[in-house]
């Protein structure tokens, strides 16, 4: 069973994916009308606070986050990356930069696990490599 934080990260991933694909307005993402009512009730307002922080922080700092990701892509074109991978990288880089209370190893492990669940067969290797290089460059 996924933890509350994992569920929050999954919701944040879904929101950031939708934002990247459809340009979904931030307000619509943050009202979580698109999340199953039963899941919202289980998480409660406290449980929804975590994905709200990730979503608003990631979108609010998107230029800096994308710049860091692009600097660490080796032989990859950012615009050709899978949208799920981009959403995972963005939220993970946000966490590495701004959620200092979360150890980098947890941020990366969570991203790898989510890439295995939601990405392509090799997404987790790609995500791991990029995030590990970013972690090293930030000296975390």
């Amino acid at each position: 069973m996924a933890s509350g934080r994992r569920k929050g990260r999954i919701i944040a991933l879904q929101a950031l994916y939708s934002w990247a694909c459809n340009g979904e307005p931030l307000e619509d993402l943050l009202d979580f009308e698109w999340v199953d009512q039963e899941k919202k009730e289980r998480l409660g307002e406290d449980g929804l606070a975590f994905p709200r922080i990730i979503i608003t922080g990631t979108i609010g700092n998107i230029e800096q986050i994308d710049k860091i990701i692009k600097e660490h892509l080796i032989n990859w074109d950012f615009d050709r990356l899978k949208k799920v991978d981009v959403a995972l990288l963005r939220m993970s880089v946000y966490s590495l930069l701004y959620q200092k209370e979360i150890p980098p190893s947890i941020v990366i492990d969570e991203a790898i696990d989510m890439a295995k669940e939601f990405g392509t067969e090799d997404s987790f290797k790609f995500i791991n490599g990029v995030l590990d290089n970013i972690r090293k460059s930030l000296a975390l």
Side-chain angles (χ1 to χ4, degrees), residues 124-140:
F124 76 96
K125 295 175 193 170
F126 171 72
I127 297 286
N128 182 43
V130 174
L131 290 178
D132 196 48
N133 285 334
I134 292 171
R135 178 192 58 80
K136 289 174 186 170
S137 76
L138 297 173
L140 299 171

Side-chain angles (χ1 to χ4, degrees), residues 23 45 47 50-51 63 74 86 139-140:
E45 266 314 300
F50 184 63
E63 290 85 12
I74 300 166
V86 170
L140 299 171

Side-chain angles (χ1 to χ4, degrees), residues 8 15 21-23 35 50 54 60 69 74-75 78 84 95 99-100 102-103 105 108 120 133:
C21 291
N22 307 322
V35 175
F50 184 63
I54 295 172
I69 293 169
I74 300 166
N75 300 322
F78 184 84
V84 170
S95 292
Q99 294 182 306
K100 301 293 187 184
I102 303 173
S105 60
I108 294 171
T120 62
N133 285 334

Side-chain angles (χ1 to χ4, degrees), residues 27 57 72 85 88 95 104-105 107 110 123:
E27 311 80 58
H72 291 87
D85 293 348
L88 262 172
S95 292
S105 60
V107 171
E110 287 286 315
S123 287

Side-chain angles (χ1 to χ4, degrees), residues 4 8 13 18-20 27 30-33 41 46 65-66 72 75 77 84 86-87 112-113 119 121 125 133-135:
L13 172 66
S18 179
W19 181 77
E27 311 80 58
L30 297 178
D31 70 14
F32 298 116
E33 289 299 318
E41 288 171 10
D46 288 346
I65 290 168
D66 283 357
H72 291 87
N75 300 322
D77 179 4
V84 170
V86 170
I112 291 167
D113 288 347
E121 188 176 318
K125 295 175 193 170
N133 285 334
I134 292 171
R135 178 192 58 80

